[in-house]
Amino acid sequence: MMAALGAGAVVDALIPRELIFAQQPQDRLAAFRAQVGAVPIKAQQLGENLTLLSGPGGNVVVLSGPEGLLMVDTFAAPAWPRLEETLKGLGAGGRVKLVINTHWHFDHTDNNAPLRAVGATVVAHENTKRRMSHPQRIAMLDLDFPASPPGALPQRVFKDDYALKGNGEEIQLWHVAPAHTDTDVILRFEHANLLHAGDVFFNGRYPLVDGSTGGKVDGMIAACDRLLSLAGADTKIVPGHGALATKADLVKYRDMLSTAAERVRKLKAAGRTLEESIAAKPFTDLDPDWAGGRFKGDDFVKIVYLTL
């Protein structure tokens, strides 16, 4: 169940997509957010002071220690009471010192505001703050988002890379060229030998590439190559959605993206329309391994076609 959640399968089971899409825009967003946020939080120990939290949104990593907690991503807003209680069990009295957003999407940034309210500093790429400061639309999900309130915006932003130290760990952040969005950040925890890929990597399912906010499928491939250059055979890789992964898992995912992009690129170059490309069923052999989440083969043809 938890592995399927990242691609939206659990949400689909709770509220079928046709019912969500039949609602008014703000009701649709509220329903989607409520269902994502209602999923239980599952904790997995990654190291002596590193914990992976999964469930109500993108995967969260928490680094604990005497200097306070450091978090990567923050789940959907309705999960806040349970997230707050979970953090209290991870040390430092649950006091969060620093939050890193991997990109602007709501299931990774929704709880910036309550974390800022209790003293945390939020770090993100400059495009994340820009996107959150204005209304946004994710066309593939037919969801419209209002601008975030000032108290939810990142206080520290960077353009290319950012480094920090805390609780005995060295963490490096890099912005990657437009991939899942134009706001994506990947991270390396040096001593723990761990990467957080954000939504550049959906483990075991077709990903969303959000062309509405700058996403490009070729950027997804390039970002995976960047991650692979940072990973060793024993590196733990936290995807934005899905189970904890290995380098081999990321290689398989990257190869799927490359194959999908080239097939759709050939269809477009031959003058095929989007509808004709979907009808060609170019991902029939890929679907058994990758269509188990929210996006099926036809959906992913559309995603790739529109983001090439």
Side-chain angles (χ1 to χ4, degrees):
M1 171 179 168
M2 299 309 300
L5 172 71
V10 172
V11 176
D12 284 345
L14 295 172
I15 296 185
R17 282 192 284 181
E18 60 268 22
L19 294 185
I20 292 178
F21 293 160
Q23 297 173 319
Q24 293 300 310
Q26 288 309 307
D27 293 338
R28 188 161 60 243
L29 175 58
F32 193 85
R33 179 177 261 128
Q35 291 300 325
V36 172
V39 177
I41 296 173
K42 180 180 179 180
Q44 179 180 354
Q45 203 68 27
L46 300 181
E48 185 177 351
N49 62 342
L50 270 177
T51 305
L52 170 61
L53 304 178
S54 58
N59 285 329
V60 170
V61 168
V62 182
L63 174 69
S64 58
E67 299 173 47
L69 303 180
L70 181 150
M71 290 179 64
V72 182
D73 290 336
T74 71
F75 287 149
W80 171 246
R82 288 173 290 118
L83 175 59
E84 186 177 29
E85 286 302 309
T86 300
L87 293 173
K88 289 178 181 177
L90 297 181
R95 178 175 59 88
V96 179
K97 180 179 180 181
L98 195 73
V99 174
I100 299 167
N101 295 150
T102 60
H103 62 291
W104 79 269
H105 284 164
F106 80 99
D107 56 325
H108 300 256
T109 62
D110 251 4
N111 288 305
N112 282 4
L115 288 161
R116 278 192 53 177
V118 295
T121 297
V122 180
V123 177
H125 187 261
E126 61 187 12
N127 287 349
T128 292
K129 185 174 183 178
R130 176 174 62 85
R131 291 289 184 188
M132 292 178 67
S133 299
H134 302 280
Q136 302 294 333
R137 174 171 175 76
I138 302 178
M140 191 65 196
L141 298 178
D142 194 21
L143 293 175
D144 293 283
F145 296 83
S148 299
L153 300 178
Q155 299 108 304
R156 296 183 192 171
V157 297
F158 64 96
K159 183 176 182 179
D160 296 317
D161 56 73
Y162 190 89
L164 55 95
K165 296 181 180 181
N167 293 329
E169 185 59 87
E170 297 181 24
I171 305 169
Q172 185 74 38
L173 289 65
W174 295 277
H175 174 58
V176 293
H180 176 65
T181 66
D182 61 9
T183 70
D184 300 307
V185 172
I186 60 173
L187 300 87
R188 178 170 65 188
F189 290 75
E190 185 70 30
H191 299 300
N193 191 21
L194 179 136
L195 297 172
H196 195 310
D199 278 7
V200 165
F201 182 19
F202 282 54
N203 191 17
R205 72 286 316 268
Y206 290 131
L208 172 65
V209 184
D210 182 11
S212 302
T213 57
K216 301 288 185 184
V217 68
D218 287 336
M220 293 281 278
I221 297 166
C224 288
D225 287 339
R226 181 76 178 275
L227 284 162
L228 288 169
S229 74
L230 298 169
D234 57 348
T235 300
K236 297 182 179 72
I237 305 175
V238 175
H241 297 273
L244 183 68
T246 64
K247 185 174 184 178
D249 295 323
L250 181 56
V251 168
K252 182 179 179 182
Y253 172 79
R254 188 264 180 215
D255 289 347
M256 177 276 293
L257 290 178
S258 181
T259 297
E262 287 311 304
R263 290 178 182 178
V264 175
R265 200 186 317 274
K266 289 179 180 178
L267 290 169
K268 287 189 77 170
R272 300 286 187 93
T273 65
L274 171 60
E275 292 73 19
E276 289 170 339
S277 297
I278 292 171
K281 301 292 182 184
F283 300 160
T284 301
D285 59 323
L286 301 177
D287 287 350
D289 288 334
W290 301 101
R294 167 169 293 275
F295 299 115
K296 310 308 178 186
D298 289 355
D299 299 319
F300 197 55
V301 174
K302 181 177 180 180
I303 288 171
V304 174
Y305 190 99
L306 295 176
T307 61
L308 276 171

